[in-house]
Amino acid sequence: MARSAFQVLAGFALLCCSAVRATQDHAVCNHLATIHGNETIQPTEASYEALSTENWSQTVWAKPACIIQPSSTEELASVVSTVVDWNVNFAVRSGGHSVVPGAANIEGGVLIDMSQFNTVDYDADKSVAVVGSGLRWKEVYTSLDPYNVTVVGGRVLEVGVGGLTLGGGLSYLADLYGFVCDNVVNYEVVTASGTVINANAESNQDLFWALKGGANNFGIVTKFTLKTYPLHDAWGGVRVYSLDALPQLMDAMYEYQSVGNKDPYANIMLQAFPTNASIGAILEIVYLKPEVEPEAFAPFRNITPLVDGTQLQTFTELMLNAPVPELTRVNWFSASFKTDKDLFTKVTDIVSNGPEIAQLTNLTAGSLAFGWQPISSSAILAGEANGGNALGLEPVNQTWLVLDVGWWNAEDDQLAHDYTASMISKVDDASQSSGHFVDYIFMNDAAADQPVIERYGAENVAKLKATAAKYDPDGVFQHLASGGFKLP
Ligand SMILES: Cc1cc2nc3c(=O)[nH]c(=O)nc-3n(C[C@H](O)[C@H](O)[C@H](O)COP(=O)(O)OP(=O)(O)OC[C@H]3O[C@@H](n4cnc5c(N)ncnc54)[C@H](O)[C@@H]3O)c2cc1C
Ligand SMILES: *[C@@H]1O[C@H](CO)[C@@H](O)[C@H](O)[C@H]1NC(C)=O
Ligand SMILES: *[C@@H]1O[C@H](CO)[C@@H](O)[C@H](O)[C@H]1NC(C)=O
Ligand SMILES: *[C@@H]1O[C@H](CO)[C@@H](O)[C@H](O)[C@H]1NC(C)=O
Ligand SMILES: *[C@@H]1O[C@H](CO)[C@@H](O)[C@H](O)[C@H]1NC(C)=O
Ligand SMILES: *[C@@H]1O[C@H](CO)[C@@H](O)[C@H](O)[C@H]1NC(C)=O
Ligand SMILES: *[C@@H]1O[C@H](CO)[C@@H](O)[C@H](O)[C@H]1NC(C)=O
């Protein structure tokens, strides 16, 4: 009885005011608490504060009416049915590392925290691991290490499995096996109607394809079944250079990326800090075999680092040892382009000497890092061989550039956004005018207002929309869960 009264209120809320919405939120939280007692966290409870401020950037902290941590697929299905019945806004969170406000947290409404989906089950016979969507990559890798296998997963261990995988996912294993999404063989999904379905190459194939890059537009993923590969020992680590070495590093980067037959076991991520010469440039070198100084990294050999952390170590240790900056407020922007010497020089100049650098430095604790992520055509071809994904990538060698901006004060949010957006649009102009533009924006490195899914291409967008209409006919994941990268 009370429930139908609130459902009436819910309809009214759409027309009326936030006070009614808040009453409805409060009521659904009390209702959830009666059914899922210990899993519903109200604002008065001790753990609420830490959970509502998790994790990566203060720009996405928010105050949900309550946070629920379902611990089984059935419970999650019941929670989804309840919030949909009550017409309450909600958000879904895995590792909380998105910097998109509202994507994985919510002001009012219900935050569904997937952290109880935290198991890793390895099946050696099938060479797969079933991985809970609420895990961080660290738990995934360390659970598989005793078996000497790994998965195609994130490069920084505290990042979450759910968001990274649903956004495509860049891994050190990508040149060999494709992106993270390309190595999912089954998704267990709770749909908007509270139904549990599996999406794989045999059943619900359209959804299987759509989830490979389609983010939180179709349902909530509880578990991913990921392919495993034999890998334990590796070589590599971090080399730190002074910012003066940047021109040499970029020449080496060009050589590394344009070599005739790039070794797919070799990976590099260059991060430079043009606003902060005391950090300089950090090169993460990864070789997926225990071989010291393989030929693939020869272009970097004659550049003397300030610090050289390369060593033989396990692949997991290598990733654990990577430095992770601690920033208060963070945003990031992404651009993609083909390999070209002049363009590399031009882009480096834009992002390290442009007028925006002084503007960013002028903000309290304003900083910029640019990350240079080489992607080989082999990564895209491996994805196609696995049945394809929704990303709409052409199989060409390319770079995914990411600009990470950090700052301190909420009053500077807009300026930090605008200065960095200005640089990314200059990068796009440069690649467009030289004919090396790649029409793709990597979701996991993209700002909220970058047109990520639009760029998957008209045909893919149409397929994604048709799939959403089939599995979520009422558009719950567009309207009630409206945060994140939505279908255009
Ligand atoms: C230090 C750092 C390192 C990074 N390194 C990499 C990297 O190596 N490779 C890479 O690809 N990206 C990387 N990223 C980017 C990262 O992939 C994104 O920030 C991603 O959103 C993080 O996933 P998450 O689960 O932590 O995010 P969340 O913030 O929890 O979620 C992100 C989005 O996914 C949705 N979502 C999450 N879980 C589910 C689910 N189970 N079902 C449905 N929707 C869900 C959320 O609703 C939200 O919209 C890195 C980010 C940081 C901060
Ligand atoms: C709540 O209790 C159940 C049953 O005791 C348990 O399985 C579950 O993990 C608990 N949930 C949380 C979030 O602690
Ligand atoms: C993110 O949250 C996890 C889990 O609460 C915590 O262990 C970790 O220290 C947090 N990381 C940051 C950078 O706040
Ligand atoms: C993993 O590799 C190590 C070192 O090569 C070996 O000693 C160990 O037996 C392997 N473990 C398994 C489960 O294969
Ligand atoms: C990408 O580079 C590799 C060598 O590094 C080369 O073999 C391949 O042909 C290139 N791909 C394309 C599409 O040009
Ligand atoms: C530069 O980085 C160092 C080391 O992280 C930090 O201590 C310093 O405050 C930074 N300087 C500026 C101007 O941001
Ligand atoms: C830096 O900030 C000061 C004071 O707000 C302002 O006058 C100046 O123009 C700014 N400089 C840049 C490069 O933005």
Side-chain angles (χ1 to χ4, degrees), residues 56 92-98 103-104 114 133 154-156 159-160 162-164 166 169-170 216 219-221 324 332 442 444:
W56 182 242
V92 182
R93 174 199 291 163
S94 169
H97 276 63
S98 168
M114 297 298 287
S133 68
R155 298 165 301 173
V156 177
V159 177
L164 185 140
L166 289 165
L170 182 53
N216 65 359
I220 303 178
V221 177
V324 180
W332 53 53
F442 180 36
N444 291 352

PDB file of all heavy atoms in Angstrom, residues 56 92-98 103-104 114 133 154-156 159-160 162-164 166 169-170 216 219-221 324 332 442 444, ligand 1:
ATOM      1  N   TRP A  56      38.600   8.145  -6.698  1.00  0.00           N
ATOM      2  CA  TRP A  56      39.753   8.710  -7.368  1.00  0.00           C
ATOM      3  C   TRP A  56      39.781  10.241  -7.338  1.00  0.00           C
ATOM      4  O   TRP A  56      40.803  10.838  -7.040  1.00  0.00           O
ATOM      5  CB  TRP A  56      39.791   8.176  -8.799  1.00  0.00           C
ATOM      6  CG  TRP A  56      40.956   8.663  -9.551  1.00  0.00           C
ATOM      7  CD1 TRP A  56      40.935   9.436 -10.674  1.00  0.00           C
ATOM      8  CD2 TRP A  56      42.336   8.435  -9.258  1.00  0.00           C
ATOM      9  NE1 TRP A  56      42.218   9.698 -11.078  1.00  0.00           N
ATOM     10  CE2 TRP A  56      43.095   9.098 -10.232  1.00  0.00           C
ATOM     11  CE3 TRP A  56      43.005   7.737  -8.248  1.00  0.00           C
ATOM     12  CZ2 TRP A  56      44.475   9.085 -10.236  1.00  0.00           C
ATOM     13  CZ3 TRP A  56      44.385   7.726  -8.259  1.00  0.00           C
ATOM     14  CH2 TRP A  56      45.101   8.387  -9.243  1.00  0.00           C
ATOM     15  N   VAL A  92      25.747   2.963 -10.551  1.00  0.00           N
ATOM     16  CA  VAL A  92      26.415   1.687 -10.309  1.00  0.00           C
ATOM     17  C   VAL A  92      27.908   1.953 -10.207  1.00  0.00           C
ATOM     18  O   VAL A  92      28.465   2.668 -11.029  1.00  0.00           O
ATOM     19  CB  VAL A  92      26.164   0.710 -11.482  1.00  0.00           C
ATOM     20  CG1 VAL A  92      26.828  -0.638 -11.211  1.00  0.00           C
ATOM     21  CG2 VAL A  92      24.678   0.556 -11.747  1.00  0.00           C
ATOM     22  N   ARG A  93      28.536   1.376  -9.183  1.00  0.00           N
ATOM     23  CA  ARG A  93      29.969   1.581  -9.031  1.00  0.00           C
ATOM     24  C   ARG A  93      30.714   0.254  -8.869  1.00  0.00           C
ATOM     25  O   ARG A  93      30.291  -0.630  -8.143  1.00  0.00           O
ATOM     26  CB  ARG A  93      30.255   2.434  -7.797  1.00  0.00           C
ATOM     27  CG  ARG A  93      31.764   2.538  -7.545  1.00  0.00           C
ATOM     28  CD  ARG A  93      32.076   2.952  -6.149  1.00  0.00           C
ATOM     29  NE  ARG A  93      31.681   4.319  -5.958  1.00  0.00           N
ATOM     30  CZ  ARG A  93      31.519   4.864  -4.744  1.00  0.00           C
ATOM     31  NH1 ARG A  93      31.715   4.149  -3.663  1.00  0.00           N
ATOM     32  NH2 ARG A  93      31.154   6.107  -4.640  1.00  0.00           N
ATOM     33  N   SER A  94      31.841   0.191  -9.566  1.00  0.00           N
ATOM     34  CA  SER A  94      32.769  -0.922  -9.327  1.00  0.00           C
ATOM     35  C   SER A  94      33.942  -0.377  -8.526  1.00  0.00           C
ATOM     36  O   SER A  94      33.875  -0.287  -7.308  1.00  0.00           O
ATOM     37  CB  SER A  94      33.190  -1.533 -10.661  1.00  0.00           C
ATOM     38  OG  SER A  94      34.253  -2.418 -10.478  1.00  0.00           O
ATOM     39  N   GLY A  95      35.013   0.076  -9.209  1.00  0.00           N
ATOM     40  CA  GLY A  95      36.183   0.564  -8.477  1.00  0.00           C
ATOM     41  C   GLY A  95      36.180   2.059  -8.209  1.00  0.00           C
ATOM     42  O   GLY A  95      37.074   2.575  -7.543  1.00  0.00           O
ATOM     43  N   GLY A  96      35.193   2.780  -8.752  1.00  0.00           N
ATOM     44  CA  GLY A  96      35.075   4.210  -8.477  1.00  0.00           C
ATOM     45  C   GLY A  96      36.188   5.071  -9.063  1.00  0.00           C
ATOM     46  O   GLY A  96      36.412   6.179  -8.598  1.00  0.00           O
ATOM     47  N   HIS A  97      36.860   4.615 -10.095  1.00  0.00           N
ATOM     48  CA  HIS A  97      37.966   5.399 -10.649  1.00  0.00           C
ATOM     49  C   HIS A  97      37.576   6.276 -11.832  1.00  0.00           C
ATOM     50  O   HIS A  97      38.428   6.924 -12.428  1.00  0.00           O
ATOM     51  CB  HIS A  97      39.147   4.496 -11.008  1.00  0.00           C
ATOM     52  CG  HIS A  97      40.012   4.238  -9.815  1.00  0.00           C
ATOM     53  ND1 HIS A  97      39.546   3.578  -8.707  1.00  0.00           N
ATOM     54  CD2 HIS A  97      41.290   4.593  -9.535  1.00  0.00           C
ATOM     55  CE1 HIS A  97      40.506   3.525  -7.809  1.00  0.00           C
ATOM     56  NE2 HIS A  97      41.576   4.135  -8.279  1.00  0.00           N
ATOM     57  N   SER A  98      36.311   6.286 -12.176  1.00  0.00           N
ATOM     58  CA  SER A  98      35.872   7.213 -13.220  1.00  0.00           C
ATOM     59  C   SER A  98      35.974   8.644 -12.688  1.00  0.00           C
ATOM     60  O   SER A  98      35.742   8.896 -11.515  1.00  0.00           O
ATOM     61  CB  SER A  98      34.427   6.910 -13.595  1.00  0.00           C
ATOM     62  OG  SER A  98      33.909   7.939 -14.388  1.00  0.00           O
ATOM     63  N   ALA A 103      28.737   9.308 -12.913  1.00  0.00           N
ATOM     64  CA  ALA A 103      28.869   8.004 -13.589  1.00  0.00           C
ATOM     65  C   ALA A 103      28.785   6.865 -12.584  1.00  0.00           C
ATOM     66  O   ALA A 103      28.111   5.868 -12.817  1.00  0.00           O
ATOM     67  CB  ALA A 103      30.186   7.932 -14.360  1.00  0.00           C
ATOM     68  N   ALA A 104      29.464   7.014 -11.467  1.00  0.00           N
ATOM     69  CA  ALA A 104      29.563   5.912 -10.507  1.00  0.00           C
ATOM     70  C   ALA A 104      29.276   6.401  -9.086  1.00  0.00           C
ATOM     71  O   ALA A 104      29.740   5.824  -8.104  1.00  0.00           O
ATOM     72  CB  ALA A 104      30.946   5.273 -10.595  1.00  0.00           C
ATOM     73  N   MET A 114      29.148  -2.425  -6.119  1.00  0.00           N
ATOM     74  CA  MET A 114      29.324  -3.836  -6.502  1.00  0.00           C
ATOM     75  C   MET A 114      30.427  -4.555  -5.725  1.00  0.00           C
ATOM     76  O   MET A 114      30.800  -5.679  -6.072  1.00  0.00           O
ATOM     77  CB  MET A 114      29.619  -3.909  -8.005  1.00  0.00           C
ATOM     78  CG  MET A 114      28.499  -3.402  -8.892  1.00  0.00           C
ATOM     79  SD  MET A 114      26.986  -4.359  -8.695  1.00  0.00           S
ATOM     80  CE  MET A 114      27.461  -5.872  -9.538  1.00  0.00           C
ATOM     81  N   SER A 133      32.627  -8.331 -10.696  1.00  0.00           N
ATOM     82  CA  SER A 133      32.788  -6.997 -11.299  1.00  0.00           C
ATOM     83  C   SER A 133      33.163  -5.942 -10.273  1.00  0.00           C
ATOM     84  O   SER A 133      33.554  -4.843 -10.648  1.00  0.00           O
ATOM     85  CB  SER A 133      31.500  -6.588 -12.014  1.00  0.00           C
ATOM     86  OG  SER A 133      30.463  -6.380 -11.070  1.00  0.00           O
ATOM     87  N   GLY A 154      43.631  -4.339 -16.360  1.00  0.00           N
ATOM     88  CA  GLY A 154      44.145  -2.982 -16.172  1.00  0.00           C
ATOM     89  C   GLY A 154      45.622  -2.951 -15.828  1.00  0.00           C
ATOM     90  O   GLY A 154      46.202  -3.952 -15.404  1.00  0.00           O
ATOM     91  N   ARG A 155      46.228  -1.777 -16.006  1.00  0.00           N
ATOM     92  CA  ARG A 155      47.667  -1.619 -15.775  1.00  0.00           C
ATOM     93  C   ARG A 155      47.980  -1.024 -14.407  1.00  0.00           C
ATOM     94  O   ARG A 155      49.132  -1.000 -13.995  1.00  0.00           O
ATOM     95  CB  ARG A 155      48.263  -0.725 -16.875  1.00  0.00           C
ATOM     96  CG  ARG A 155      48.120  -1.304 -18.281  1.00  0.00           C
ATOM     97  CD  ARG A 155      48.386  -0.250 -19.336  1.00  0.00           C
ATOM     98  NE  ARG A 155      47.452   0.860 -19.173  1.00  0.00           N
ATOM     99  CZ  ARG A 155      47.506   1.991 -19.854  1.00  0.00           C
ATOM    100  NH1 ARG A 155      48.453   2.185 -20.744  1.00  0.00           N
ATOM    101  NH2 ARG A 155      46.618   2.933 -19.646  1.00  0.00           N
ATOM    102  N   VAL A 156      46.945  -0.505 -13.752  1.00  0.00           N
ATOM    103  CA  VAL A 156      47.140   0.098 -12.432  1.00  0.00           C
ATOM    104  C   VAL A 156      46.219  -0.655 -11.475  1.00  0.00           C
ATOM    105  O   VAL A 156      45.020  -0.782 -11.718  1.00  0.00           O
ATOM    106  CB  VAL A 156      46.826   1.609 -12.460  1.00  0.00           C
ATOM    107  CG1 VAL A 156      46.946   2.217 -11.075  1.00  0.00           C
ATOM    108  CG2 VAL A 156      47.764   2.319 -13.432  1.00  0.00           C
ATOM    109  N   VAL A 159      42.571   0.127  -9.724  1.00  0.00           N
ATOM    110  CA  VAL A 159      41.414   0.465 -10.565  1.00  0.00           C
ATOM    111  C   VAL A 159      40.439  -0.719 -10.583  1.00  0.00           C
ATOM    112  O   VAL A 159      40.830  -1.872 -10.428  1.00  0.00           O
ATOM    113  CB  VAL A 159      41.892   0.831 -11.991  1.00  0.00           C
ATOM    114  CG1 VAL A 159      40.724   1.114 -12.925  1.00  0.00           C
ATOM    115  CG2 VAL A 159      42.826   2.043 -11.934  1.00  0.00           C
ATOM    116  N   GLY A 160      39.159  -0.413 -10.773  1.00  0.00           N
ATOM    117  CA  GLY A 160      38.124  -1.438 -10.729  1.00  0.00           C
ATOM    118  C   GLY A 160      37.989  -2.235 -12.022  1.00  0.00           C
ATOM    119  O   GLY A 160      38.278  -1.746 -13.111  1.00  0.00           O
ATOM    120  N   GLY A 162      35.011  -3.510 -13.182  1.00  0.00           N
ATOM    121  CA  GLY A 162      33.754  -3.260 -13.889  1.00  0.00           C
ATOM    122  C   GLY A 162      33.845  -2.146 -14.917  1.00  0.00           C
ATOM    123  O   GLY A 162      33.581  -2.349 -16.108  1.00  0.00           O
ATOM    124  N   GLY A 163      34.210  -0.956 -14.466  1.00  0.00           N
ATOM    125  CA  GLY A 163      34.237   0.192 -15.368  1.00  0.00           C
ATOM    126  C   GLY A 163      35.292   0.051 -16.439  1.00  0.00           C
ATOM    127  O   GLY A 163      35.050   0.341 -17.613  1.00  0.00           O
ATOM    128  N   LEU A 164      36.469  -0.413 -16.061  1.00  0.00           N
ATOM    129  CA  LEU A 164      37.566  -0.538 -17.024  1.00  0.00           C
ATOM    130  C   LEU A 164      37.198  -1.498 -18.152  1.00  0.00           C
ATOM    131  O   LEU A 164      37.407  -1.212 -19.331  1.00  0.00           O
ATOM    132  CB  LEU A 164      38.845  -0.995 -16.308  1.00  0.00           C
ATOM    133  CG  LEU A 164      40.104  -1.063 -17.174  1.00  0.00           C
ATOM    134  CD1 LEU A 164      41.332  -0.559 -16.418  1.00  0.00           C
ATOM    135  CD2 LEU A 164      40.358  -2.471 -17.703  1.00  0.00           C
ATOM    136  N   LEU A 166      34.138  -2.505 -19.132  1.00  0.00           N
ATOM    137  CA  LEU A 166      32.988  -2.068 -19.938  1.00  0.00           C
ATOM    138  C   LEU A 166      33.332  -0.890 -20.852  1.00  0.00           C
ATOM    139  O   LEU A 166      32.624  -0.622 -21.809  1.00  0.00           O
ATOM    140  CB  LEU A 166      31.814  -1.721 -19.016  1.00  0.00           C
ATOM    141  CG  LEU A 166      31.170  -2.954 -18.362  1.00  0.00           C
ATOM    142  CD1 LEU A 166      30.267  -2.552 -17.201  1.00  0.00           C
ATOM    143  CD2 LEU A 166      30.374  -3.760 -19.391  1.00  0.00           C
ATOM    144  N   GLY A 169      38.952  -1.053 -22.297  1.00  0.00           N
ATOM    145  CA  GLY A 169      40.031  -1.525 -21.440  1.00  0.00           C
ATOM    146  C   GLY A 169      41.370  -1.677 -22.130  1.00  0.00           C
ATOM    147  O   GLY A 169      41.526  -2.498 -23.028  1.00  0.00           O
ATOM    148  N   LEU A 170      42.335  -0.860 -21.690  1.00  0.00           N
ATOM    149  CA  LEU A 170      43.685  -0.948 -22.239  1.00  0.00           C
ATOM    150  C   LEU A 170      44.577  -1.700 -21.265  1.00  0.00           C
ATOM    151  O   LEU A 170      44.626  -1.387 -20.077  1.00  0.00           O
ATOM    152  CB  LEU A 170      44.241   0.462 -22.502  1.00  0.00           C
ATOM    153  CG  LEU A 170      45.640   0.520 -23.121  1.00  0.00           C
ATOM    154  CD1 LEU A 170      45.734  -0.312 -24.389  1.00  0.00           C
ATOM    155  CD2 LEU A 170      46.025   1.967 -23.416  1.00  0.00           C
ATOM    156  N   ASN A 216      27.696   1.339 -19.192  1.00  0.00           N
ATOM    157  CA  ASN A 216      26.566   0.981 -18.314  1.00  0.00           C
ATOM    158  C   ASN A 216      25.216   1.276 -18.975  1.00  0.00           C
ATOM    159  O   ASN A 216      24.276   1.673 -18.319  1.00  0.00           O
ATOM    160  CB  ASN A 216      26.691   1.700 -16.962  1.00  0.00           C
ATOM    161  CG  ASN A 216      26.581   3.215 -17.107  1.00  0.00           C
ATOM    162  OD1 ASN A 216      26.438   3.731 -18.211  1.00  0.00           O
ATOM    163  ND2 ASN A 216      26.624   3.932 -15.998  1.00  0.00           N
ATOM    164  N   GLY A 219      22.685  -2.803 -18.611  1.00  0.00           N
ATOM    165  CA  GLY A 219      22.365  -3.577 -17.423  1.00  0.00           C
ATOM    166  C   GLY A 219      23.555  -3.512 -16.480  1.00  0.00           C
ATOM    167  O   GLY A 219      24.514  -2.775 -16.733  1.00  0.00           O
ATOM    168  N   ILE A 220      23.475  -4.282 -15.410  1.00  0.00           N
ATOM    169  CA  ILE A 220      24.580  -4.316 -14.448  1.00  0.00           C
ATOM    170  C   ILE A 220      25.287  -5.659 -14.572  1.00  0.00           C
ATOM    171  O   ILE A 220      24.651  -6.712 -14.464  1.00  0.00           O
ATOM    172  CB  ILE A 220      24.072  -4.113 -13.008  1.00  0.00           C
ATOM    173  CG1 ILE A 220      23.310  -2.780 -12.906  1.00  0.00           C
ATOM    174  CG2 ILE A 220      25.235  -4.165 -12.019  1.00  0.00           C
ATOM    175  CD1 ILE A 220      22.725  -2.507 -11.524  1.00  0.00           C
ATOM    176  N   VAL A 221      26.572  -5.602 -14.834  1.00  0.00           N
ATOM    177  CA  VAL A 221      27.341  -6.834 -14.963  1.00  0.00           C
ATOM    178  C   VAL A 221      27.790  -7.282 -13.571  1.00  0.00           C
ATOM    179  O   VAL A 221      28.363  -6.499 -12.811  1.00  0.00           O
ATOM    180  CB  VAL A 221      28.567  -6.626 -15.875  1.00  0.00           C
ATOM    181  CG1 VAL A 221      29.410  -7.898 -15.938  1.00  0.00           C
ATOM    182  CG2 VAL A 221      28.124  -6.208 -17.271  1.00  0.00           C
ATOM    183  N   VAL A 324      51.650   5.900  -8.680  1.00  0.00           N
ATOM    184  CA  VAL A 324      50.318   6.435  -8.972  1.00  0.00           C
ATOM    185  C   VAL A 324      50.215   7.807  -8.295  1.00  0.00           C
ATOM    186  O   VAL A 324      50.399   7.911  -7.089  1.00  0.00           O
ATOM    187  CB  VAL A 324      49.204   5.501  -8.448  1.00  0.00           C
ATOM    188  CG1 VAL A 324      47.833   6.073  -8.754  1.00  0.00           C
ATOM    189  CG2 VAL A 324      49.345   4.112  -9.041  1.00  0.00           C
ATOM    190  N   TRP A 332      40.284  14.187 -17.176  1.00  0.00           N
ATOM    191  CA  TRP A 332      41.187  13.769 -18.242  1.00  0.00           C
ATOM    192  C   TRP A 332      40.471  13.814 -19.583  1.00  0.00           C
ATOM    193  O   TRP A 332      39.240  13.796 -19.662  1.00  0.00           O
ATOM    194  CB  TRP A 332      41.812  12.402 -17.965  1.00  0.00           C
ATOM    195  CG  TRP A 332      40.872  11.278 -17.645  1.00  0.00           C
ATOM    196  CD1 TRP A 332      39.795  10.852 -18.363  1.00  0.00           C
ATOM    197  CD2 TRP A 332      40.957  10.394 -16.505  1.00  0.00           C
ATOM    198  NE1 TRP A 332      39.210   9.774 -17.753  1.00  0.00           N
ATOM    199  CE2 TRP A 332      39.901   9.471 -16.629  1.00  0.00           C
ATOM    200  CE3 TRP A 332      41.833  10.274 -15.422  1.00  0.00           C
ATOM    201  CZ2 TRP A 332      39.693   8.454 -15.682  1.00  0.00           C
ATOM    202  CZ3 TRP A 332      41.618   9.267 -14.503  1.00  0.00           C
ATOM    203  CH2 TRP A 332      40.557   8.369 -14.628  1.00  0.00           C
ATOM    204  N   PHE A 442      39.039   7.204 -26.555  1.00  0.00           N
ATOM    205  CA  PHE A 442      39.069   6.097 -25.599  1.00  0.00           C
ATOM    206  C   PHE A 442      38.244   6.466 -24.361  1.00  0.00           C
ATOM    207  O   PHE A 442      38.581   7.385 -23.629  1.00  0.00           O
ATOM    208  CB  PHE A 442      40.520   5.802 -25.233  1.00  0.00           C
ATOM    209  CG  PHE A 442      40.707   4.671 -24.255  1.00  0.00           C
ATOM    210  CD1 PHE A 442      39.890   3.551 -24.272  1.00  0.00           C
ATOM    211  CD2 PHE A 442      41.735   4.730 -23.325  1.00  0.00           C
ATOM    212  CE1 PHE A 442      40.078   2.510 -23.370  1.00  0.00           C
ATOM    213  CE2 PHE A 442      41.936   3.694 -22.419  1.00  0.00           C
ATOM    214  CZ  PHE A 442      41.102   2.589 -22.439  1.00  0.00           C
ATOM    215  N   ASN A 444      37.802   5.236 -21.435  1.00  0.00           N
ATOM    216  CA  ASN A 444      38.380   5.198 -20.090  1.00  0.00           C
ATOM    217  C   ASN A 444      39.294   6.376 -19.794  1.00  0.00           C
ATOM    218  O   ASN A 444      39.648   6.602 -18.641  1.00  0.00           O
ATOM    219  CB  ASN A 444      39.120   3.875 -19.876  1.00  0.00           C
ATOM    220  CG  ASN A 444      38.171   2.701 -19.813  1.00  0.00           C
ATOM    221  OD1 ASN A 444      36.960   2.885 -19.780  1.00  0.00           O
ATOM    222  ND2 ASN A 444      38.695   1.498 -19.805  1.00  0.00           N
TER     223      ASN A 444
HETATM  224  C1  LIG B   1      45.234   5.507 -11.798  1.00  0.00           C
HETATM  225  C2  LIG B   1      44.384   5.072 -12.957  1.00  0.00           C
HETATM  226  C3  LIG B   1      44.877   4.165 -13.868  1.00  0.00           C
HETATM  227  C4  LIG B   1      44.119   3.737 -14.947  1.00  0.00           C
HETATM  228  N1  LIG B   1      44.630   2.798 -15.797  1.00  0.00           N
HETATM  229  C5  LIG B   1      43.867   2.317 -16.802  1.00  0.00           C
HETATM  230  C6  LIG B   1      44.325   1.269 -17.644  1.00  0.00           C
HETATM  231  O1  LIG B   1      45.425   0.758 -17.489  1.00  0.00           O
HETATM  232  N2  LIG B   1      43.512   0.836 -18.638  1.00  0.00           N
HETATM  233  C7  LIG B   1      42.275   1.347 -18.840  1.00  0.00           C
HETATM  234  O2  LIG B   1      41.570   0.900 -19.718  1.00  0.00           O
HETATM  235  N3  LIG B   1      41.814   2.344 -18.053  1.00  0.00           N
HETATM  236  C8  LIG B   1      42.564   2.828 -17.043  1.00  0.00           C
HETATM  237  N4  LIG B   1      42.081   3.821 -16.234  1.00  0.00           N
HETATM  238  C9  LIG B   1      40.756   4.371 -16.505  1.00  0.00           C
HETATM  239  C10 LIG B   1      39.681   3.473 -15.912  1.00  0.00           C
HETATM  240  O3  LIG B   1      39.463   2.375 -16.747  1.00  0.00           O
HETATM  241  C11 LIG B   1      38.356   4.209 -15.762  1.00  0.00           C
HETATM  242  O4  LIG B   1      38.531   5.218 -14.797  1.00  0.00           O
HETATM  243  C12 LIG B   1      37.245   3.257 -15.339  1.00  0.00           C
HETATM  244  O5  LIG B   1      36.037   3.979 -15.317  1.00  0.00           O
HETATM  245  C13 LIG B   1      37.536   2.692 -13.990  1.00  0.00           C
HETATM  246  O6  LIG B   1      36.745   1.593 -13.681  1.00  0.00           O
HETATM  247  P1  LIG B   1      36.111   1.471 -12.235  1.00  0.00           P
HETATM  248  O7  LIG B   1      35.416   0.183 -12.158  1.00  0.00           O
HETATM  249  O8  LIG B   1      37.123   1.790 -11.195  1.00  0.00           O
HETATM  250  O9  LIG B   1      35.128   2.677 -12.376  1.00  0.00           O
HETATM  251  P2  LIG B   1      33.746   3.131 -11.773  1.00  0.00           P
HETATM  252  O10 LIG B   1      34.006   4.569 -11.500  1.00  0.00           O
HETATM  253  O11 LIG B   1      33.272   2.294 -10.661  1.00  0.00           O
HETATM  254  O12 LIG B   1      32.774   2.932 -13.006  1.00  0.00           O
HETATM  255  C14 LIG B   1      32.958   3.579 -14.239  1.00  0.00           C
HETATM  256  C15 LIG B   1      31.691   3.442 -15.083  1.00  0.00           C
HETATM  257  O13 LIG B   1      31.409   2.072 -15.329  1.00  0.00           O
HETATM  258  C16 LIG B   1      30.119   1.730 -14.848  1.00  0.00           C
HETATM  259  N5  LIG B   1      30.189   0.421 -14.218  1.00  0.00           N
HETATM  260  C17 LIG B   1      31.109   0.011 -13.305  1.00  0.00           C
HETATM  261  N6  LIG B   1      30.863  -1.258 -12.936  1.00  0.00           N
HETATM  262  C18 LIG B   1      29.763  -1.645 -13.611  1.00  0.00           C
HETATM  263  C19 LIG B   1      29.017  -2.865 -13.659  1.00  0.00           C
HETATM  264  N7  LIG B   1      29.388  -3.920 -12.937  1.00  0.00           N
HETATM  265  N8  LIG B   1      27.933  -2.925 -14.463  1.00  0.00           N
HETATM  266  C20 LIG B   1      27.563  -1.852 -15.198  1.00  0.00           C
HETATM  267  N9  LIG B   1      28.231  -0.682 -15.200  1.00  0.00           N
HETATM  268  C21 LIG B   1      29.324  -0.580 -14.419  1.00  0.00           C
HETATM  269  C22 LIG B   1      29.771   2.792 -13.836  1.00  0.00           C
HETATM  270  O14 LIG B   1      28.374   2.938 -13.739  1.00  0.00           O
HETATM  271  C23 LIG B   1      30.465   4.016 -14.403  1.00  0.00           C
HETATM  272  O15 LIG B   1      29.651   4.636 -15.352  1.00  0.00           O
HETATM  273  C24 LIG B   1      42.820   4.248 -15.140  1.00  0.00           C
HETATM  274  C25 LIG B   1      42.317   5.157 -14.223  1.00  0.00           C
HETATM  275  C26 LIG B   1      43.067   5.569 -13.137  1.00  0.00           C
HETATM  276  C27 LIG B   1      42.503   6.529 -12.155  1.00  0.00           C
END
